[in-house]
Amino acid sequence: MLDLQTLTPETLLSASLADVVETVVAREPARFRARLASVDPAALQARLTDIQRVLGIVPPAQLQEWEAIQHALNSRDSADSLWNSEDRSLRLDVPSRMPADLDALAALLQAYPEGLFAGLFVLSEEASGDRVLMSLLSEPGQPLLVFPYAHGRGALRAAHSLKNFLLTAWLSDNEPEPDEAPGWVGDPHYEALQEVARVHDSRLAVPSPDARAPTALRSVHLHGRSRWMHSVLWGRPSPRLKEYLEQAPGDAEWRVEKQELSADPLLANYWMLAHSFLGNEEACAAAVVAGHQNPAELTRGLARLVEGWLAAPARARIGEVDATTLERARQAVSDSARPDQRSPR
């Protein structure tokens, strides 16, 4: 277990995710360690294999460690949970199996837009509704990155390593008391530990808020250009739709990226849905053809779904959003789009 009174960036760098969880997250550290040791590696590997098959994303190496920790914590609401909640959920929500039918697949669009378009999945949610999203697009050797997400603004905040998040989110500047959560460290030690976490991330080269590194933060880049669709999928285009569409790609990007759709599930997911809502039927049909060729099960399913919309627009629906509402949403998108986003071939 880490000593929060003497913790340094060097110690945090050498610590494992489990060390941090044991110190500030697990309610019963000894039981947590025992359960962690008993987690079946074969079951973990099967879960990662399922994620790759369904999403077409190669899971980062550190994800297996995190999956083991989740099993040990049993962080769902249950009598057997070893996790200190503090009004915050803590379970990575990644689909690892195909929905039973196309209606269920359509509803998945509303539940996982950040994941299907940007590789970002909910790790934690506070009682306020603000969430923390984890990127599954980490580069080899890079730690798992998480992004606080302000639901009111629909915007990602600066990246943190998962280790940083686990430490700082469970700290409190309340003075330590018997039988209270281990993260109660008092002020100013609270501030000192926040600085330890910041230095830790800087030494791992986690990009700072003003960094211009889209290749290192592909999830941020993809999220920024696709967030216009999030409200559209609910049939309620955002009042800021025109502003969001300004960040979205147009014909120039489409001409380059359409060559990559059969191999890149996130690009295929985006362009099939984007062209559908932009009213670009010819380009949408081309994206669907490539989507059918993609190795990701969800992407091939979305190709079948959007193909059905093209063939029978009057039967299109997403969850409770019917064809009439979707058509109104398409008209709003068309009215707000740039000329180069409409009717590309």
Side-chain angles (χ1 to χ4, degrees), residues 74 109 176-177 190 194:
N74 190 14
L109 286 168
E177 294 180 10
Y190 172 85
Q194 297 286 336

Side-chain angles (χ1 to χ4, degrees), residues 224-245:
R225 71 183 219 163
S226 64
R227 66 175 174 163
W228 66 270
M229 262 199 293
H230 295 184
S231 59
V232 173
L233 293 169
W234 289 91
R236 301 190 295 267
S238 168
R240 302 174 68 180
L241 178 61
K242 187 176 183 65
E243 174 190 338
Y244 291 161
L245 276 164

